[in-house]
Amino acid sequence: MAKLTYREAVRAAMREAMAADPRVFLMGEDVGRHGGAFAVSMGLLEEFGPERIRDTPLMESTFVGAGIGAAVGGMRPIVEVMTINFSLLALDQIVNTAAALRHMSGGQFSVPLVVRMASGGGRGLAAQHSHSLEGWFAHVPGIKVATPATVADAKGLLLAALADPDPVLVFEHATLYPLEGEDADDTPMALGRAAVRRAGEDVTLVAYGASVHKALAAAAALAAEEISAEVLDLRTLRPLDVEAIVSSVARTHRAVVVDEMWRTGSFAGEVAATIMEQAFDELDAPVARVASAEVPMPYAKPLEDAALPSAEQIAAAARALF
Amino acid sequence: MSLERPPPHRAALEREHAHELLRQMLLIRRFEERTEELYAAGKIRGFLHLYIGEEAIAVGAMQSLAEEDAIVATYREHGHALARGVPAGAVMAEMYGKANGCSRGRGGSMHMFDGSRRFYGGHAIVAGGIPFAVGLALADKMQGRRHVTACFFGEGAMAEGEFHESMNLAALWRLPVLFLCENNLYAISTPLAAQESEPELHLKAHAYRVPSEAVDGMDVYAVETAVARAAAAVRRGDGPYFLELRTYRFRGHSMGDPQRYRAKEEIAEWEKRGPIVQFVDRLRRDGLLDDATLAAIERDVADEVAWSVEEAEGGPWEPVEDLEKDVYTPADG
């Protein structure tokens, strides 16, 4: 299988979808002339032209809302929101319209919309460009939430999102764009299936997005101490693969949930509660959480590093369960 | 007040057409008067925003829009739904929350939808439906369909950022959107003068290079004519068009509004030139309406309202077991 970067994988998925389906188009800030703030859509304007690669003015709420209308009108829009923090300007459209329309119309309208955005910290972008709020969106019935951690998933989950009849938000962790890995094979991926990235027997490290790589590093460190850690990549937060979580914990009897959201109200809390409800008797220790520190993201590197979950914290949390 | 003549191409059918306009306005009026009673009786719950006083806008506008055009409206949309041809029974049943309602009882008064008539709601976040309308128009344009998306909103929406963003985007991309502002002078309690630094709302369109007009929204012919002209421009591919339709809401913002923000005399003054009384006077003056015809129209409307209540009363509830239905699209589409 060919090697490519996460960024190239997202681009490849968009290119493939646009070539296959004339209803698919991309719009957002700087996606055309500039090739995207993270260079994800580089070259697509030249390939597909300005009708299908649409630079929008700065109006997150309106271009997301227009994406909803275009989806209902028979198109398959991909809307790029530059970063997750900017998506808050479009929260109304996502929650009050995209998520609700099908239900409040009595099932008359589906919204086949894909909204992509860069998320997460670690790049020195401070308090207004670095957050992880995926769990806020995963809270909302009517939308689906994908958080690809690997190169193959960056492509495969985006294609799955585009094939889905309902609105799907795809969170691309910004530190992953340069990640190299193997391309997806041609098997269509499903939303709602977690993946075991490393098999283990003693503790399950549940993670998603960039945290999966930190969990893998932690698992490698724990292996040297003869603790066999399983790494479960959630891949989508909604639908959540509860069965995969429960079956892994039933094998390992311990769980550490890793999440780049702030601890209070984090998605990790939802996972921990699910384990408590459905696998309580399997647990040999309380479920542990490793999440971001309760602080707007600081700029200085030592502070930012301290604010984010680390492989060391994950390993320490796992050790403490024994 | 001067009233425009009906468009000449309709002259031969003037009488019949006039009666139909009157019937539709009266249907909305009598339908909503009945909903007031049903609300008081506890049959209708939640919020209930009445359109009484503004009927000439929905009725006039719908005459000039085609079946293939799309309609996006607000939470004050009973009149638009009825004027678009959504059966009164489906609208009333929706207010009852019944499964034979036009949104299967999931939406209620504020969320009426009918895909078969391209009636896209029923949006209850002020200005929230405007970007949606822009998107529908974008889809039409990208797919080569020469349709118009007519987007209704109140003047309160014009203080929201989404209105301005949407005007800008529709103008930049020359999208076929007809912006229809129903200026009823109050955003709940706040009068226009306290909402807008430029109260001549139609002038705001100039900032986006969108053609605009102010129209007497109490005159059903004036609305019909202006919307026909504007829709024709939009359909030609000239880009968006903006109409400020000046009107007045005779009831409170929603049921139970004590209306401390305006004088009874002001309401009475507007009621004197309400869209129905004004139209009836005119038709009588022009020899197009007699007492017997008016009585027949009232009877016809009363029957339709009574039928709508029967539909709602007799309609089934959506089973509670189906609570989580229609959150996502089922696998079979």
Side-chain angles (χ1 to χ4, degrees), chain B residues 161-226:
Chain B
E162 283 180 326
F163 164 76
H164 297 276
E165 295 177 2
S166 294
M167 287 282 281
N168 186 34
L169 193 64
L172 273 172
W173 291 359
R174 296 177 72 80
L175 299 178
V177 186
L178 175 51
F179 292 92
L180 298 172
C181 173
E182 301 178 307
N183 178 8
N184 68 18
L185 303 178
Y186 290 91
I188 302 188
S189 68
T190 308
L192 185 63
Q195 295 180 55
E196 291 292 346
S197 57
E198 173 51 271
E200 290 292 321
L201 299 175
H202 60 105
L203 296 179
K204 290 177 185 287
H206 295 183
Y208 303 104
R209 301 192 172 189
V210 171
S212 69
E213 297 170 45
V215 180
D216 179 2
M218 291 299 190
D219 177 350
V220 67
Y221 280 150
V223 175
E224 181 182 28
T225 309

Side-chain angles (χ1 to χ4, degrees), chain A residues 138-175:
Chain A
H139 175 64
V140 182
I143 53 181
K144 300 181 182 181
V145 172
T147 53
T150 68
V151 170
D153 276 5
K155 182 174 171 188
L157 291 179
L158 180 52
L159 287 171
L162 279 162
D164 199 277
D166 296 311
V168 184
L169 308 188
V170 183
F171 295 90
E172 298 160 5
H173 198 288
T175 61

